[in-house]
Amino acid sequence: MCIRDSVRGYSANLVKREQVDGVLLDHQFVFLKVRNERLDAAGLVAVPFGVYMYFEGPDDLKDREVLWVKGQNNNKLMAHEGSGLLGLLSVWLEPTSAVAMRGQRYPISYVGMENLLQQYILRLQEDKRQGVPEDFKIKVIRGARVDDRVCTCTQVTHPVQRPYFEKYVSRLFIDDETHLPIRYVTFGWPERKGVQPSIIEEYTYRNVKVNPGFTEVDFDPKNSNYNF
């Protein structure tokens, strides 16, 4: 299954953990709706990329909602916190603003499996452009598992830390049945020999439901099922 050709959208439970400003934050649990961008025969955007996020945990993020549609609403996202006075107030924010980026490594425009795969490929291409063959150890692990899903894992290791490499190890897990990238995890270099490397970022997509029949209402803040 090719994401670009076959997947119009999907819902999933995203579990993510990221280093932000050098600190590895707690796991975040997000119910996610993603609508992939679709182009018409002339190459123009017929259906814009859209993301809806409902945070199920941890407690300090629970019930937060975020919605963004590329190119709409002056390209701003709508968000509200889950509790307190801020939970009663929905605000429009620039996706890369300090408030929108608080506790997040990447802006909402990076969310989704297609974006994950594109960034993985771009990073690998850039690393290969700057590095030499001995800078890369590539290992393919068949029969790897992500929860109950059988996957093929591609692991890229940079044995020597060089200024142009961002990560020591990257692992991408492709679901053998759906061919979707359902897990990605990267590690920094260990502080010393024998010490486990620290996680930089990890994303796991669970309970993926492909092409569930989203309509415009799913990406409209006026949706009566949302609390904007």
Side-chain angles (χ1 to χ4, degrees):
M1 180 183 293
C2 174
I3 297 178
R4 178 63 57 87
D5 296 337
S6 303
V7 181
R8 295 183 297 277
Y10 55 89
S11 64
N13 295 100
L14 171 62
V15 182
K16 69 190 189 88
R17 183 165 56 154
E18 301 170 320
Q19 273 195 34
V20 177
D21 297 327
V23 177
L24 182 61
L25 304 181
D26 292 337
H27 286 95
Q28 296 180 8
F29 302 88
V30 183
F31 173 71
L32 185 71
K33 295 180 181 180
V34 175
R35 181 180 65 191
N36 288 332
E37 181 178 270
R38 307 283 288 183
L39 304 180
D40 61 19
L44 301 176
V45 175
V47 179
F49 179 63
V51 179
Y52 167 77
M53 306 176 74
Y54 174 79
F55 287 74
E56 299 174 317
D59 287 346
D60 60 328
L61 298 180
K62 185 173 172 55
D63 296 330
R64 174 188 287 180
E65 286 182 293
V66 185
L67 188 147
W68 179 70
V69 178
K70 182 179 179 180
Q72 294 185 3
N73 306 307
N74 294 317
N75 210 42
K76 292 183 177 181
L77 62 82
M78 176 169 272
H80 71 79
E81 295 298 338
S83 60
L85 291 177
L86 292 178
L88 302 176
L89 178 66
S90 295
V91 294
W92 291 103
L93 300 169
E94 294 287 348
T96 55
S97 67
V99 175
M101 291 294 296
R102 187 183 302 133
Q104 307 297 318
R105 187 175 178 88
Y106 300 108
I108 195 170
S109 56
Y110 280 58
V111 169
M113 290 185 284
E114 183 176 359
N115 282 326
L116 185 157
L117 188 57
Q118 287 178 340
Q119 291 301 314
Y120 173 80
I121 292 170
L122 288 173
R123 182 73 262 174
L124 187 58
Q125 289 174 337
E126 180 64 16
D127 286 352
K128 285 187 173 182
R129 185 185 68 81
Q130 298 185 84
V132 294
E134 53 265 33
D135 283 334
F136 298 87
K137 287 186 177 180
I138 299 178
K139 182 178 182 181
V140 177
I141 305 168
R142 303 191 185 281
R145 285 190 171 269
V146 176
D147 300 325
D148 62 343
R149 308 299 299 178
V150 179
C151 300
T152 297
C153 171
T154 300
Q155 176 176 287
V156 179
T157 303
H158 300 307
V160 179
Q161 184 173 4
R162 303 192 191 278
Y164 43 80
F165 290 145
E166 182 182 1
K167 293 148 186 173
Y168 171 46
V169 174
S170 300
R171 295 175 186 153
L172 179 69
F173 295 76
I174 303 293
D175 188 305
D176 284 356
E177 180 182 355
T178 65
H179 306 297
L180 296 175
I182 61 171
R183 178 166 166 79
Y184 179 60
V185 56
T186 69
F187 300 85
W189 277 266
E191 294 181 2
R192 60 185 183 277
K193 189 175 181 179
V195 174
Q196 288 291 325
S198 60
I199 289 174
I200 296 177
E201 57 193 354
E202 63 174 337
Y203 310 93
T204 303
Y205 289 83
R206 294 172 167 166
N207 305 317
V208 179
K209 294 180 174 58
V210 175
N211 297 335
F214 291 144
T215 67
E216 290 295 326
V217 174
D218 288 282
F219 300 94
D220 187 338
K222 296 178 183 178
N223 187 327
S224 60
N225 291 318
Y226 302 158
N227 292 311
F228 293 110

